[in-house]
């Protein structure tokens, strides 16, 4: 119900007359940690993004992603790719996860009622299924980000999307050197949903205070081939700043996510390390 109401609200807003956006002072943009902002790269400007999320309890887990964004023929079209690398179970398992190739279209800009840039991504099965680093199937992800500058001091961002994996697999269970069950013979259709938003306080010209919220309604496959549904909610306060060196802009950031999941008791507290390099080419 919440997703249907949200989509209706977006289309109602988009049907309103497009009002010219008030001119605000320049601020840091497209540098959130968990929420996707609806600003494509400017023409002939490339961005390299590193994002690492660390959780300590009940074991040490680090999920790192590298994303490179590139405008194609102007700001309207943007291509990017995302390469994940994970260190799981206190680094007993590590490796590349399922990569993504992304296309994003700038439907509305910040000069309209809001910036809107729908994205479609192809998920490639590059992660090792037996190490819990991938799901062994090509999939698709769709996300609808919307961004609105409210004043010289505040901006808000909103996301809604889903991920579809048509033939997901589970790790193989091994006992005394022999396979006692091979759930990879069973393939499952998985559909995940994401919903979230953020509010950004533009505390200074090159310094922001952030509060992000992300909810995932997802499922996984256990070692016996059973599909388990779960919900995860993440609240993450954070800060970011901009360092300009000529035409190069460096944006480091730090966040403190609190994760609440129906899969586990208690709250997981972690850290987010963000680093972006943006420059002309």
């Amino acid at each position: 119900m919440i997703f249907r109401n949200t989509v209706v609200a977006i289309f109602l807003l988009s049907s309103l007359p497009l009002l010219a956006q008030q001119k605000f002072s320049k601020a840091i943009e497209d540098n959130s940690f968990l929420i996707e902002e609806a600003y494509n790269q400017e023409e002939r400007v490339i961005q390299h993004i590193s994002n690492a999320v660390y959780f300590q309890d009940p074991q040490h887990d680090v999920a790192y992603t590298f994303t490179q964004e590139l405008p194609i023929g102007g700001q309207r079209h943007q291509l990017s790719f995302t390469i994940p690398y994970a260190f799981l179970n206190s680094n007993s398992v590590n490796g590349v996860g399922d990569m993504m190739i992304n296309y994003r279209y700038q439907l509305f800009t910040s000069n309209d009622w809001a910036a809107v840039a729908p994205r479609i991504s192809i998920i490639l099965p590059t992660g090792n299924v037996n190490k819990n680093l991938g799901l062994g199937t090509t999939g698709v992800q769709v996300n609808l980000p919307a961004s609105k500058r409210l004043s010289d001091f505040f901006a808000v961002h909103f996301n809604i999307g889903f991920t579809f994996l048509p033939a997901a697999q589970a790790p193989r269970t091994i006992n005394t050197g022999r396979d006692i069950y091979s759930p990879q013979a069973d393939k499952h259709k998985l559909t995940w949903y994401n919903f979230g938003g953020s509010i950004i306080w533009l505390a200074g010209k090159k310094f922001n205070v952030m509060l992000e919220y992300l909810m995932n309604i997802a499922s996984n496959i256990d070692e016996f081939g059973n599909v388990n549904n779960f919900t995860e909610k993440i609240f993450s306060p954070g800060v970011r700043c901009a360092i300009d060196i000529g035409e190069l802009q460096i944006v480091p950031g730090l966040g403190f996510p609190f994760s609440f999941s129906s899969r586990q008791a208690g709250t997981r507290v972690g850290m987010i390390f963000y680093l972006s390099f943006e420059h002309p080419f």
Side-chain angles (χ1 to χ4, degrees):
M1 180 65 72
I2 187 172
F3 298 104
R4 186 185 69 183
N5 293 342
T6 302
V7 171
V8 170
I10 288 175
F11 280 99
L12 285 175
L13 283 171
S14 63
S15 67
L16 296 175
L18 299 183
L19 303 177
Q21 170 112 347
Q22 181 181 347
K23 295 296 182 181
F24 298 117
S25 59
K26 295 187 68 174
I28 308 171
E29 296 180 339
D30 67 350
N31 293 103
S32 285
F33 310 155
L34 301 176
I35 299 299
E36 185 175 350
E37 294 166 325
Y39 306 119
N40 277 1
Q41 288 300 112
E42 297 176 352
E43 185 175 3
R44 300 193 63 81
V45 175
I46 193 171
Q47 186 174 16
H48 321 277
I49 303 168
S50 291
N51 204 5
V53 181
Y54 166 73
F55 284 103
Q56 181 176 358
D57 185 44
Q59 69 275 327
H60 298 274
D61 291 327
V62 177
Y64 168 80
T65 59
F66 173 79
T67 300
Q68 183 160 297
E69 298 181 342
L70 181 69
I72 303 299
Q75 193 171 3
R76 186 68 66 179
H77 306 280
Q78 176 179 289
L79 285 179
S80 65
F81 62 84
T82 301
I83 303 174
Y85 197 96
F87 303 86
L88 305 177
N89 298 327
S90 300
N91 202 26
S92 62
V93 174
N94 63 79
V96 175
D98 289 344
M99 300 181 187
M100 298 174 65
I101 299 175
N102 318 296
Y103 168 74
R104 199 164 72 170
Y105 178 74
Q106 192 74 60
L107 182 62
F108 296 114
T109 71
S110 56
N111 293 323
D112 299 318
W113 63 277
V116 178
R119 169 178 58 83
I120 183 168
S121 301
I122 301 300
I123 302 170
L124 304 176
T126 52
N128 189 316
V129 175
N130 288 327
K131 292 184 177 181
N132 273 320
L133 295 171
L135 286 167
T137 181
T138 300
V140 63
Q141 183 178 93
V142 175
N143 197 45
L144 180 63
S147 299
K148 180 71 173 178
R149 182 78 177 269
L150 301 178
S151 70
D152 271 339
F153 299 102
F154 290 99
V156 292
H157 308 280
F158 169 82
N159 288 182
I160 184 171
F162 71 90
T163 302
F164 177 64
L165 301 161
Q169 303 173 25
R172 179 173 298 172
T173 300
I174 298 177
N175 186 21
T176 63
R178 294 190 308 164
D179 297 341
I180 61 173
Y181 178 69
S182 180
Q184 290 158 317
D186 298 329
K187 298 183 179 181
H188 301 269
K189 293 181 181 179
L190 301 182
T191 303
W192 303 340
Y193 300 94
N194 63 275
F195 170 83
S198 65
I199 182 167
I200 312 297
W201 174 31
L202 312 174
K205 185 178 180 181
K206 297 182 180 181
F207 179 77
N208 296 167
V209 179
M210 312 162 59
L211 179 61
E212 299 178 282
Y213 167 76
L214 177 64
M215 179 174 69
N216 295 310
I217 301 174
S219 54
N220 62 0
I221 308 171
D222 64 23
E223 63 270 23
F224 303 105
N226 300 314
V227 176
N228 301 307
N229 300 316
F230 66 93
T231 299
E232 181 183 31
K233 300 176 182 179
I234 301 175
F235 294 87
S236 181
V239 294
R240 67 187 181 192
C241 66
I243 303 168
D244 294 328
I245 305 174
E247 293 186 299
L248 169 66
Q249 183 177 75
I250 304 172
V251 178
L254 184 64
F256 300 93
F258 296 80
S259 173
F260 307 87
S261 175
S262 59
R263 288 189 299 178
Q264 60 192 32
T267 303
R268 298 189 78 189
V269 181
M271 296 183 70
I272 298 175
F273 303 92
Y274 177 92
L275 183 62
S276 165
F277 295 89
E278 192 172 6
H279 59 85
F281 67 94

